[in-house]
């Protein structure tokens, strides 16, 4: 499973990239608006820092506006993926952009029916928001399982990108289900390596070794 960072913070992305296991980045207007400086320049810097795909979202809600922004975004760097909202207009824009060879990440997906249409429109990535479904007493990971089953039934090539991840168990469940990608905040990314028994065990190895030398 590929691991993406869900952030527009360059320092976090640089630190994640240094760990050697970062496969890509997803941003959204909320995340970009939290960072100082020009969002387009920030996106370019992110694209230079990470080797994999970097999702950048349009603001327009009509097809023409989406296509215009998508073309501007796709010129920023080779690894830009255009993120579109999963609406009727977004679906039309997705079909057009993928036919031009521009990679598209369909975002704000909350149901298997949305995911089915997104795959039929040729999206590169589908982004089900698991945390926000959990927030409204739905089972976000169950929606991911349904999407994976549907995609497997028909051999759709759209990659399932689990988003709105809030904790490491979302990552574990995504991996058990065979999701293609999981994107997460830097806090969750760092939590994946942590285990108290590793820290305690390491401390004991070092203190035993030092005691034997004396
Ligand atoms: O990738 C989508 C993500 O940014 C949404 O996360 O935590 O705002 O639901 P969240």
């Amino acid at each position: 499973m590929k691991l993406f960072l869900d952030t527009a913070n360059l320092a976090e992305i640089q630190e994640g990239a240094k760990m050697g296991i970062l496969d890509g980045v997803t941003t959204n207007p909320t995340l970009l608006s939290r960072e100082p400086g020009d969002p387009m320049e920030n996106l370019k810097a992110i694209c230079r820092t990470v080797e994999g795909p970097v999702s950048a979202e349009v603001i327009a809600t009509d097809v023409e506006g989406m296509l215009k922004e998508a073309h501007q975004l796709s010129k920023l760097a080779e690894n830009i993926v255009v993120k579109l909202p999963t609406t009727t207009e977004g679906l039309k824009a997705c079909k057009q952009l993928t036919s031009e060879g521009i990679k598209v990440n369909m975002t704000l997906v909350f149901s298997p029916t949305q995911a089915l249409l997104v795959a039929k429109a040729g999206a590169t990535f589908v982004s089900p928001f698991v945390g926000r479904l959990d927030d409204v007493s739905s089972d976000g990971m169950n929606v991911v399982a349904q999407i994976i089953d549907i995609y497997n039934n028909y051999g759709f090539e759209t990659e399932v990108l689990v988003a709105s991840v809030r904790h490491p168990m979302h990552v574990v469940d995504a991996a058990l289900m065979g999701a293609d990608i999981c994107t997460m905040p830097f806090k969750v990314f760092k939590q994946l390596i942590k285990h108290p028994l590793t820290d305690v065990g390491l401390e004991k190895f070092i203190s035993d070794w030092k005691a034997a030398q004396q």
Side-chain angles (χ1 to χ4, degrees):
M1 184 171 72
K2 285 174 266 187
L3 301 178
F4 286 12
L5 272 176
D6 193 29
T7 180
N9 183 284
L10 190 59
E12 291 181 345
I13 294 164
Q14 284 167 338
E15 208 179 320
K18 276 189 206 152
M19 288 166 70
I21 49 154
L22 181 64
D23 299 303
V25 167
T26 49
T27 70
N28 62 37
T30 305
L31 294 170
L32 276 167
S33 67
R34 283 189 198 143
E35 302 304 322
D38 174 47
M40 295 304 133
E41 290 306 316
N42 291 346
L43 276 169
K44 281 200 246 177
I46 292 169
C47 288
R48 285 193 298 269
T49 306
V50 66
E51 276 183 30
V54 175
S55 290
E57 191 164 339
V58 302
I59 303 295
T61 53
D62 62 302
V63 182
E64 290 71 25
M66 285 186 202
L67 292 177
K68 189 171 167 220
E69 282 183 43
H71 289 129
Q72 288 164 349
L73 287 169
S74 65
K75 287 194 185 95
L76 291 179
E78 275 197 358
N79 51 341
I80 281 280
V81 171
V82 175
K83 218 173 178 189
L84 302 172
T86 304
T87 58
T88 305
E89 296 292 286
L91 211 60
K92 292 180 204 164
C94 174
K95 185 82 183 169
Q96 172 62 30
L97 291 168
T98 52
S99 74
E100 294 172 23
I102 293 174
K103 289 186 176 168
V104 172
N105 175 2
M106 293 301 282
T107 192
L108 291 166
V109 167
F110 294 96
S111 76
T113 53
Q114 289 178 313
L116 175 62
L117 301 193
V118 156
K120 287 178 71 72
T124 318
F125 305 105
V126 61
S127 288
F129 274 31
V130 295
R132 291 193 196 183
L133 278 165
D134 293 352
D135 288 345
V136 294
S137 308
S138 288
D139 185 346
M141 289 314 304
N142 186 47
V143 171
V144 173
Q146 290 176 325
I147 294 170
I148 291 172
D149 278 355
I150 291 167
Y151 283 13
N152 286 343
N153 284 347
Y154 298 101
F156 286 122
E157 286 176 10
T158 302
E159 291 189 58
V160 179
L161 194 169
V162 178
S164 183
V165 160
R166 304 278 169 78
H167 49 71
M169 279 313 293
H170 276 147
V171 183
V172 173
D173 289 339
L176 286 170
M177 286 173 191
D180 299 287
I181 306 153
C182 202
T183 189
M184 66 206 79
F186 192 48
K187 177 173 172 269
V188 177
F189 195 80
K190 284 190 297 184
Q191 282 175 319
L192 300 183
I193 190 73
K194 293 298 286 180
H195 197 289
L197 290 178
T198 304
D199 298 339
V200 169
L202 180 61
E203 212 170 286
K204 182 154 170 44
F205 284 155
I206 291 169
S207 64
D208 286 349
W209 182 261
K210 281 184 182 162
Q213 309 305 304
Q214 281 160 10

